[in-house]
Amino acid sequence: MALVSIASLDASEARIVLPRIGAWHVDATLQGATGIEEGDAVTVSVAGSLSLVGHATRAQAHEDALRVRVVAGGAGLAGTATAKFYQGAQVRLVLGDLLTGAGEMLSSTADAAILATLLPNWSTFARPVGVEIATLLSVAPVGTAWRVLADGSVWVGPETWPVSSLAFELIERDPARKRLVLGVALPTLLPGFTLDGERIGDVEHVVTAAHVTTIARLA
Amino acid sequence: MIDWLRRALGMVIVPCIDTLGTYRAKVVAQSADFRTVDVQADDSRIGNLSKVPILLGLPGCTVNIAAGCFVRLGWRGGDRRQPYVTSWESEATVTKLVANADLIELAGNGYAAVLDTLIGALKNYVTAVNAVLASNCVNGAPMSAYAAQTAALVAFLTALSASGAFKSTKVKHG
């Protein structure tokens, strides 16, 4: 059984990109597979321990393989927000409208204090939803992050940097680019964790039939 | 050729919205205290905003304008929590202008000349009427029945003189 499967179809190769801020996506090649179409809601299973819920935004047959891109949640954060004006609204209302309009959901674990932030005035512009969310959260305390969780919901809040117990082998350290290349048994490292005393920002897992490599950018 | 290229590029390159800049917006309504307006931005990506404070640029002044005119819409410090409108376009129709000032100086002297002429004519008329009353006397004294009218005319003359002083201290012409 492959380490990565999409909609129960094994992937021969996969690239899993998990940013600390924003939406994750998975590019995968499924040998001899069919049945996934653009717009389908799919679950990406990673090593049987991590399930990523998203939508297929690309599904193209190439020779004997199906190349698929899965984007987090409803894959709607790249869509255009509706221009709307608010007065005396909380961040929760504005964010909720942005997410609902994009077909996304707010995580129940989102920080309540940030969501309760009062906005005397606010305008959302007809720009990409992700850009509007980032702009909206500029009113939150410094260090506030937002990203799409594995379950496809959108989380906002301060980073807590929990410690990861992941076993790894350091293959390369690039201080200039603040980048670590790790050899791991399973591609399960997530952004927002502390690994060996260092805060992990964006994470990228490259899974092939031969090996698993995790590229971690330090926050 | 250039127009075609510009249109083609325009479909690909959409200008960003910079909240440190200002955008043309149409005034839809104004609040009763003249301090805020509802506007509709020309750029549909911005949409409509309500109760946007007016940054008139003149201290102590408020202005009531007719709906339909255009202003510049901006955000203080680029902060979307602080929208404002300013700089009315010249076609704007002013319904009322209120200025809280100790002295308001109006340019031109046409109004002043007309007012001076009017006051002068009134003074001449009242003086003439008073003279008639004074001449209509019995044994050299004014008729007692017109004493009140005479006093009223004298008071009116005093008021006319005062009106000239008022004009010169509160509203200066020319």
Side-chain angles (χ1 to χ4, degrees):
Chain A
M1 183 178 173
L3 276 178
V4 178
S5 65
I6 299 176
S8 301
L9 299 169
D10 288 348
S12 54
E13 292 179 356
R15 183 168 158 265
I16 304 167
V17 179
L18 303 160
R20 190 172 72 82
I21 307 283
W24 53 260
H25 72 270
V26 177
D27 288 321
T29 302
L30 313 176
Q31 287 293 343
T34 57
I36 298 177
E37 295 184 357
E38 290 181 11
D40 284 357
V42 295
T43 298
V44 180
S45 179
V46 182
S49 61
L50 177 65
S51 292
L52 301 171
V53 178
H55 275 71
T57 59
R58 193 183 309 156
Q60 292 175 326
H62 181 72
E63 296 181 349
D64 191 28
L66 186 64
R67 289 183 175 172
V68 179
R69 167 167 282 194
V70 178
V71 175
L77 295 178
T80 304
T82 302
K84 195 170 178 182
F85 178 69
Y86 299 85
Q87 202 151 43
Q90 291 183 339
V91 166
R92 177 188 299 277
L93 176 65
V94 181
L95 183 59
D97 284 355
L98 285 170
L99 294 178
T100 302
E104 304 288 352
M105 286 191 314
L106 181 64
S107 170
S108 58
T109 60
D111 186 84
I114 291 171
L115 295 178
T117 304
L118 188 65
L119 303 165
N121 295 288
W122 195 260
S123 291
T124 54
F125 298 155
R127 298 195 303 171
V129 175
V131 174
E132 286 301 296
I133 292 174
T135 306
L136 174 64
L137 294 178
S138 67
V139 304
V142 174
T144 297
W146 73 277
R147 58 178 164 269
V148 185
L149 301 180
D151 66 1
S153 64
V154 175
W155 169 85
V156 298
E159 298 284 12
T160 57
W161 306 108
V163 176
S164 170
S165 58
L166 179 76
F168 67 94
E169 182 183 345
L170 181 63
I171 297 174
E172 180 188 333
R173 171 184 287 275
D174 184 348
R177 296 165 66 188
K178 298 180 74 177
R179 195 178 83 136
L180 305 176
V181 179
L182 311 173
V184 294
L186 300 173
T188 54
L189 181 64
L190 294 173
F193 276 78
T194 300
L195 184 68
D196 199 23
E198 298 194 278
R199 292 179 168 179
I200 303 300
D202 302 344
V203 174
E204 182 178 334
H205 301 295
V206 179
V207 181
T208 65
H211 62 271
V212 178
T213 304
T214 293
I215 301 163
R217 289 177 180 80
L218 303 178
Chain B
M1 177 65 180
I2 290 175
D3 285 346
W4 175 85
L5 187 61
R6 190 172 291 154
R7 276 199 302 274
L9 285 173
M11 292 171 69
V12 178
I13 305 168
V14 180
C16 66
I17 301 172
D18 181 0
T19 50
L20 286 169
T22 61
Y23 295 83
R24 191 172 187 256
K26 183 179 184 179
V27 174
V28 177
Q30 188 173 22
S31 63
D33 63 2
F34 305 160
R35 297 193 182 279
T36 64
V37 288
D38 297 351
V39 295
Q40 180 180 37
D42 277 7
D43 190 329
S44 61
R45 295 175 299 167
I46 297 174
N48 304 333
L49 285 81
S50 300
K51 297 178 184 172
V52 181
I54 298 170
L55 185 63
L56 199 58
L58 285 172
C61 293
T62 54
V63 64
N64 179 213
I65 45 81
C69 63
F70 289 88
V71 288
R72 302 301 298 181
L73 167 66
W75 293 265
R76 290 184 196 205
D79 184 346
R80 285 200 220 175
R81 290 170 292 184
Q82 302 183 65
Y84 67 87
V85 294
T86 190
S87 300
W88 311 86
E89 291 190 0
S90 54
E91 294 81 12
T93 302
V94 179
T95 309
K96 185 177 181 181
L97 175 66
V98 179
N100 261 327
D102 292 337
L103 173 66
I104 299 170
E105 186 171 325
L106 302 177
N109 57 10
Y111 172 70
V114 171
L115 191 61
D116 287 346
T117 304
L118 175 65
I119 291 173
L122 280 171
K123 275 183 178 176
N124 293 338
Y125 174 73
V126 172
T127 302
V129 171
N130 216 12
V132 170
L133 285 173
S135 67
N136 190 4
C137 55
V138 177
N139 296 328
M143 289 170 59
S144 58
Y146 295 103
Q149 285 83 346
T150 304
L153 287 171
V154 171
F156 186 42
L157 274 172
T158 306
L160 283 175
S161 300
S163 72
F166 173 83
K167 175 168 70 74
S168 63
T169 57
K170 295 298 180 186
V171 181
K172 189 174 179 182
H173 307 268

